[in-house]
């Protein structure tokens, strides 16, 4: 049953379109053990190469060490290559001013991107999707939140998305699969656990197959949402000129589209935090004129145009120095923590001359140990860089494009490593 559903999900969502090399994010819990075993059984039929990756977050002490030992033994017994690391996430959260949950997520996905050669398979199931939809619903989500967990996102695939938790536990029992239990999953201290332990059981009394029903709903709504977002993107391209949004006749297009046009505008301007209430207020000044203060910026509607009030932007200045260093300094930083290597370049990989400037429209970079090339706008959003600072943040380029972005890191094509002969260090003040 599980193997059939996994194969169907992989086919339906073309999960192997980017690569047939799959790295399973293996926590040691029932879901990830089930996924690893099912993919191992299917690898001949699917023509895939399989590996696994496990990160010890240093949060749960001896229990986390137990999980690490378990996955090592499991992968050894199955003959599956395993990448395993231990990172002090509490310290990372403290040094980066992040919540423990956000820091763990950031470090985990950075690790998975770094150790995987193809796509990364996570063990999100239909029940996880149900819990996500309920959580989003409780927060007052728009349509996108009801679409749940995307089966494919960049190089992340979710082959268990059609499988319920009952399916998974039954599969583990039938195949004699051992797994470990994260004690934090048994507590009601976290919102998701409250949903899992208190709300989902009631929903299953109404419909025992509610997880699969919500998965079908998410699929249907995702199609609707994709259509609306495509219409909005086309409309946005017609209306954006030199950073100004043409809002003439804005009330004549469907509001579902116009609100998404405003989202496109905010994303393009790197606005990080806005709610449906903010969008409604922004829409109102587009139709009636005036100005509104959103987090970190003031927007003005006048003469048929929407734009940012310029005196709300940051006037910070940065001094950037690029200096050669001894290789021993680089190796010392690497030994302490790979996350410290955001400001080192391999001099021999730089093409032409280096230039320091600020972000230009269309700038992209493929970061070291990350999958895929991304725009700086998207990265500024992901790294939660305040809108007011982005116009002045320094960017380092060579003749081929961006090689380094302040607070984010270096491009893979010119990042220093242990084989580098000449290394440059970027210092910022």
């Amino acid at each position: 049953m599980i193997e059939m559903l996994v194969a169907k999900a992989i086919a339906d969502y073309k999960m192997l379109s980017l690569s047939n090399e799959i790295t399973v994010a293996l926590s040691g819990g029932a879901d990830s053990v089930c996924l690893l075993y099912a993919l191992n059984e299917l690898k001949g039929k699917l023509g895939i190469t399989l590996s696994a990756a496990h990160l010890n977050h240093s949060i749960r002490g001896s229990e986390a060490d137990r999980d690490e030992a378990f996955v090592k033994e499991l992968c050894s017994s199955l003959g599956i290559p395993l990448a395993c690391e231990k990172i002090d996430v509490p310290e990372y959260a403290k040094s980066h001013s992040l919540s423990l949950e956000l820091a763990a997520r950031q470090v985990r996905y950075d690790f998975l991107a770094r150790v995987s050669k193809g796509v990364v398979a996570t063990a999100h199931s239909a029940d996880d999707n149900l819990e996500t939809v309920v959580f989003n619903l409780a927060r007052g989500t728009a349509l996108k939140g009801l679409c749940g967990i995307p089966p494919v996102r960049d190089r992340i695939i979710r082959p268990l998305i059609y499988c319920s938790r009952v399916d998974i536990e039954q599969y583990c029992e039938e195949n004699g699969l051992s797994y470990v239990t994260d004690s934090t999953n048994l507590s009601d201290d976290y919102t998701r656990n409250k949903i899992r332990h208190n709300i989902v059981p009631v929903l299953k009394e109404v419909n025992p197959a509610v997880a699969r029903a919500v998965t079908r709903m998410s699929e249907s709504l995702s199609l609707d949402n994709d259509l609306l977002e495509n219409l909005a993107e086309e409309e946005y391209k017609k209306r954006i000129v030199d950073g100004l949004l043409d809002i003439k006749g804005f009330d004549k297009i469907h509001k579902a589209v116009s609100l998404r046009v405003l989202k496109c505008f905010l994303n393009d301007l790197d606005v990080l935090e806005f709610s449906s209430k903010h969008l409604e207020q922004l829409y109102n000044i587009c139709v009636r004129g005036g100005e509104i203060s959103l987090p970190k910026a003031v927007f003005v509607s006048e003469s048929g145009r929407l734009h940012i009030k310029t005196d709300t932007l940051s006037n910070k200045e940065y001094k950037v120095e690029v200096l050669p260093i001894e290789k021993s300094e680089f190796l010392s930083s690497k030994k302490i923590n790979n996350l410290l290597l955001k400001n080192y370049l391999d001099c021999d990989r730089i093409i032409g001359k280096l230039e320091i400037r600020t972000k230009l429209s269309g700038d992209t970079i493929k970061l070291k140990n990350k999958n895929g090339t991304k725009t700086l706008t998207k990265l500024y959003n992901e790294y939660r860089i305040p809108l007011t600072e982005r116009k002045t943040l320094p960017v380092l380029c060579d003749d081929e494009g961006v090689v380094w972005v302040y607070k984010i890191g270096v491009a893979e094509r010119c990042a220093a490593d242990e084989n580098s002969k000449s290394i440059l260090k970027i210092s910022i003040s």
Side-chain angles (χ1 to χ4, degrees):
M1 178 69 168
I2 286 281
E3 289 156 14
M4 181 183 72
L5 291 173
V6 166
K8 178 174 168 52
I10 288 174
D12 286 353
Y13 292 103
K14 299 179 176 59
M15 293 183 179
L16 302 181
S17 60
L18 293 177
S19 175
N20 63 355
E21 293 187 63
I22 300 179
T23 299
V24 174
L26 184 64
S27 67
D31 294 357
S32 64
V33 168
C34 168
L35 176 60
L36 183 72
Y37 194 85
L39 287 173
N40 194 46
E41 291 295 300
L42 287 167
K43 65 182 180 183
K45 178 181 176 181
L46 297 175
I48 59 175
T49 302
L50 196 60
S51 62
H54 176 82
L55 181 65
N56 185 333
H57 296 79
S58 304
I59 294 176
R60 292 178 292 117
S62 60
E63 187 177 283
D65 294 335
R66 174 210 66 183
D67 295 353
E68 181 179 333
F70 172 80
V71 299
K72 285 179 177 177
E73 183 177 346
L74 173 64
C75 289
S76 176
S77 68
L78 294 174
I80 295 174
L82 171 69
C84 194
E85 286 187 12
K86 186 174 184 177
I87 294 179
D88 190 339
V89 172
E91 178 58 34
Y92 180 86
K94 182 180 178 181
S95 63
H96 289 76
S97 301
L98 299 172
S99 69
L100 190 62
E101 186 176 4
L102 183 59
R105 175 182 170 82
Q106 192 175 105
V107 168
R108 180 167 63 254
Y109 279 102
D110 284 352
F111 162 70
L112 291 171
R114 179 158 38 85
V115 301
S116 65
K117 295 179 181 178
V119 294
V120 173
T122 64
H124 292 95
S125 66
D127 280 72
D128 292 314
N129 184 65
L130 168 61
E131 292 161 10
T132 297
V133 169
V134 171
F135 177 69
N136 290 340
L137 185 64
R139 296 171 62 204
T141 183
L143 178 59
K144 190 171 183 179
L146 295 179
C147 295
I149 301 173
V152 177
R153 178 176 59 82
D154 298 327
R155 288 183 172 271
I156 305 294
I157 64 172
R158 294 171 172 117
L160 291 181
I161 201 67
Y162 289 155
C163 306
S164 69
R165 190 158 289 127
V166 171
D167 294 332
I168 290 167
E169 291 172 354
Q170 185 177 342
Y171 183 81
C172 289
E173 183 178 350
E174 289 174 352
N175 290 277
L177 303 180
S178 300
Y179 53 86
V180 294
T181 301
D182 182 343
S183 61
T184 60
N185 288 336
L186 303 177
S187 168
D188 277 348
D189 292 344
Y190 300 98
T191 301
R192 183 173 289 274
N193 287 347
K194 288 181 180 179
I195 293 171
R196 179 178 301 171
H197 298 148
N198 302 308
I199 298 175
V200 170
V202 176
L203 292 175
K204 288 186 176 181
E205 288 179 10
V206 177
N207 178 8
V210 65
R212 287 187 184 141
V214 169
T215 295
R216 289 195 302 272
M217 179 197 77
S218 295
E219 288 177 342
S220 177
L221 294 181
S222 292
L223 291 174
D224 296 343
N225 189 62
D226 287 346
L227 173 62
L228 288 169
E229 291 195 346
N230 287 338
L231 290 173
E233 286 175 11
E234 291 174 8
E235 186 70 26
Y236 176 67
K237 289 175 184 176
K238 297 175 188 175
R239 290 176 171 270
I240 188 69
V241 181
D242 297 330
L244 302 177
L245 185 66
D246 182 352
I247 52 175
K248 292 190 292 290
F250 214 55
D251 56 343
K252 299 296 190 297
I253 60 176
H254 198 288
K255 194 172 180 180
V257 174
S258 59
L259 289 174
R260 284 171 171 78
V261 169
L262 292 176
K263 279 187 180 181
C264 290
F265 184 52
L266 294 177
N267 288 333
D268 212 19
L269 290 171
D270 307 329
V271 177
L272 284 176
E273 300 170 0
F274 58 88
S275 64
S276 56
K277 181 181 178 181
H278 291 134
L279 277 178
E280 188 69 31
Q281 292 171 331
L282 198 57
Y283 175 82
N284 288 337
I285 70 165
C286 288
V287 174
R288 302 169 189 165
E291 65 179 54
I292 179 179
S293 179
L294 292 186
K296 309 297 185 182
V298 175
F299 286 80
V300 179
S301 168
E302 57 185 358
S303 304
R305 297 285 189 274
L306 182 68
H307 60 90
I308 293 178
K309 199 171 184 178
T310 55
D311 60 9
T312 62
L313 299 176
S314 171
N315 60 358
K316 284 184 179 179
E317 293 184 358
Y318 299 88
K319 180 181 179 182
V320 180
E321 293 182 301
V322 184
L323 301 170
I325 62 163
E326 294 294 327
K327 190 171 182 177
S328 57
E329 179 181 336
F330 169 80
L331 294 176
S332 176
S333 295
K334 181 177 175 63
K335 185 176 181 181
I336 296 171
N337 193 329
N338 279 324
L339 296 171
L340 299 176
L341 305 181
K342 289 186 174 182
N343 299 325
Y344 292 92
L345 295 171
D346 185 323
C347 183
D348 296 327
R349 297 179 186 173
I350 294 168
I351 300 172
K353 294 182 178 179
L354 286 176
E355 173 193 7
I356 299 171
R357 58 169 173 79
T358 54
K359 181 178 86 71
L360 298 178
S361 178
D363 273 345
T364 62
I365 187 173
K366 185 181 187 305
L367 293 172
K368 179 177 172 60
N369 299 325
K370 300 281 187 178
N371 285 322
T373 299
K374 293 186 178 181
T375 64
L376 298 200
T377 294
K378 187 170 185 179
L379 287 170
Y380 285 169
N381 286 339
E382 290 180 2
Y383 283 78
R384 304 182 68 80
I385 307 296
L387 170 65
T388 50
E389 296 182 9
R390 299 184 189 190
K391 296 291 184 182
T392 57
L393 286 185
V395 173
L396 193 62
C397 307
D398 65 6
D399 291 354
E400 288 293 308
V402 178
V403 299
W404 168 85
V405 186
Y406 178 46
K407 293 188 176 181
I408 293 178
V410 297
E412 183 176 68
R413 65 180 176 85
C414 55
D417 57 34
E418 59 274 5
N419 298 317
S420 301
K421 295 179 180 178
S422 300
I423 297 176
L424 300 175
K425 182 179 181 180
I426 306 165
S427 298
I428 312 96
S429 60

